[in-house]
């Protein structure tokens, strides 16, 4: 092994790395927000009593999940190029639809895990359906699915690296640029790996701050889903 | 409009075939690696158990694309060897999937009730025999659904190999698109193909699970 380590070019390019890191966080946060909305809408549909809602939700989930994320991004960026969406929007749309399907499955199983009597009791006390979901079902489901959500969100952050292929200047993209200029291949990629590791760890710890998520015994079942 | 598919069908099918054998080799290698790492962690093997934990945490915190860039560019530069895009992708996929599968195996192993292990030891089986004849058969059943989840995920992720220049299904479609420019048709066809193949693979998982399921 006669590779000579030289980390100084990485330090000199820290502005690029930081701006990439910031872009990764931005892409992830926006996609996260949209995929939560998609996930809750579709997941609630999938758990509902209506047959057509369940069918629609299953169709959405199966289609979105079984198409590779890379293809999602290329579809928005190349196939639907006439929409003239900026690369950032294409990355966010691709990521949100893809992850949204995963969130939907988790939400559906979470709602299913809340005992049926809870809904009946809520309706019996005079709450509307929306209020019942808002105040009774979602808080309990959220507690159960928090570990699964945490792993989905860390997945999402890592998946955002694919945005680099449609020229979104996030962490992986900047790493490629720095590598091209300095040829410090190993140092660059190890640096961004560590940065991703930190981001993912922080993000999953934040999700676990959901009240009661940590010490809810029933949540353990879903931890590896 | 569809003639871009029919004209390039042999090339696309060759790409699909690359996707398939890349996936099969990764499934074989990744499952083996995952089993070894998972067992090392489960039995808390000295040093190697900790090493596999560190490896698993590192891989699970790193995006697949970065893993492939490491196996294609960084590792050969560091260790001074030459590799092809296909072999680098295969190595990257095996390391990546192996780390996730290791965690699935560990979860499966841990789900075997301790009473059964104690009973096995009490009947005079060695620790290895208990692992082989008592724990492993039960863990395998439990692990099948999560294994197939990983396989389907991997099958989709092989598309990322196109970025480092492997001409699998996505790579082939992108090459044809660069020449003929029919992105809607080509990407649509590719998306549908992945949909069908992934769906078929998850069906295999469901059938296997039903066959191995413990009837109570």
């Amino acid at each position: 092994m006669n590779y000579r380590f030289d980390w100084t070019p990485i330090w000199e390019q820290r502005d690029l790395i930081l701006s990439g890191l910031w872009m990764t966080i931005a892409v992830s946060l926006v996609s996260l927000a949209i995929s939560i909305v998609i996930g809750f809408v579709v997941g609630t549909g999938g758990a509902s009593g209506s047959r057509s809602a369940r069918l629609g939700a299953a169709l959405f989930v199966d289609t979105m999940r079984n198409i590779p994320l890379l293809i999602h991004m290329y579809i928005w960026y190349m196939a639907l190029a006439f929409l003239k969406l900026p690369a950032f929007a294409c990355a966010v749309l691709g990521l949100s639809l893809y992850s949204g399907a995963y969130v939907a499955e988790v939400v559906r199983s979470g709602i299913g895990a809340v005992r049926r009597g809870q809904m009946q009791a809520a309706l019996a006390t005079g709450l509307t359906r929306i209020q019942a979901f808002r105040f009774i079902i979602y808080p309990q489901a959220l507690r159960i699915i928090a570990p699964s959500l945490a792993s989905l969100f860390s997945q999402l952050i890592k998946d955002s690296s694919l945005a680099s292929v449609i020229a979104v200047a996030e962490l992986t993209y900047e790493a490629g640029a720095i590598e091209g200029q300095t040829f410090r291949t190993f140092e660059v990629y190890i640096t961004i790996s560590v940065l991703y590791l930190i981001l993912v760890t922080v993000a999953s710890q934040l999700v676990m701050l959901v009240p009661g998520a940590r010490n809810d015994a029933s949540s353990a079942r879903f931890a590896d889903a | 409009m569809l003639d871009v598919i029919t004209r390039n069908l042999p090339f696309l099918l060759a790409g699909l075939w690359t996707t398939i054998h890349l996936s099969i080799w990764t499934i074989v290698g990744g499952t083996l690696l995952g089993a070894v790492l998972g067992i090392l962690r489960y039995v808390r093997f000295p040093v190697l158990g900790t090493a596999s934990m560190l490896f698993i945490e590192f891989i699970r915190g790193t995006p697949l694309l970065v893993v492939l860039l490491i196996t294609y560019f960084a590792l050969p530069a560091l260790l001074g060897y030459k590799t092809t895009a296909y072999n680098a992708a295969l190595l990257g996929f095996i390391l990546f999937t192996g780390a996730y599968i290791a965690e699935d195996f560990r979860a499966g192993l841990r789900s075997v009730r301790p009473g059964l292990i104690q009973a096995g030891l009490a009947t005079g089986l060695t620790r290895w025999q208990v692992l082989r004849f008592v724990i492993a058969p039960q863990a395998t059943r439990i692990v099948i659904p999560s294994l197939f989840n990983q396989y389907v995920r991997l099958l989709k992720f092989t598309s990322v190999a196109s970025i480092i220049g492997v001409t699998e299904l996505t790579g082939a479609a992108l090459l044809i698109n660069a020449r003929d420019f029919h992105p809607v048709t080509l990407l649509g066809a590719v998306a549908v193909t992945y949909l069908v193949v992934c769906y078929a693979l998850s069906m295999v998982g469901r059938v296997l699970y039903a066959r191995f399921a413990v009837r109570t």
Side-chain angles (χ1 to χ4, degrees), chain A residues 16-17 170-180 188-189 192, chain B residues 69:
Chain A
L16 269 186
I17 293 184
E170 45 69 77
L171 199 49
T172 309
Y173 183 89
E174 298 294 15
I178 297 171
E179 199 261 345
V188 173
Y189 289 126
I192 66 162
Chain B
L69 293 172

Side-chain angles (χ1 to χ4, degrees), chain B residues 1-13 169 172-190:
Chain B
M1 186 143 138
L2 275 174
D3 68 308
V4 67
I5 305 287
T6 48
R7 256 188 299 120
N8 296 299
L9 199 59
F11 192 60
L12 283 170
L13 286 179
L169 184 57
L174 291 176
L175 278 179
I176 298 169
N177 186 50
R179 190 183 59 193
D180 295 352
F181 199 69
H182 283 288
V184 180
T185 321
L186 283 165
L187 285 171
V190 167

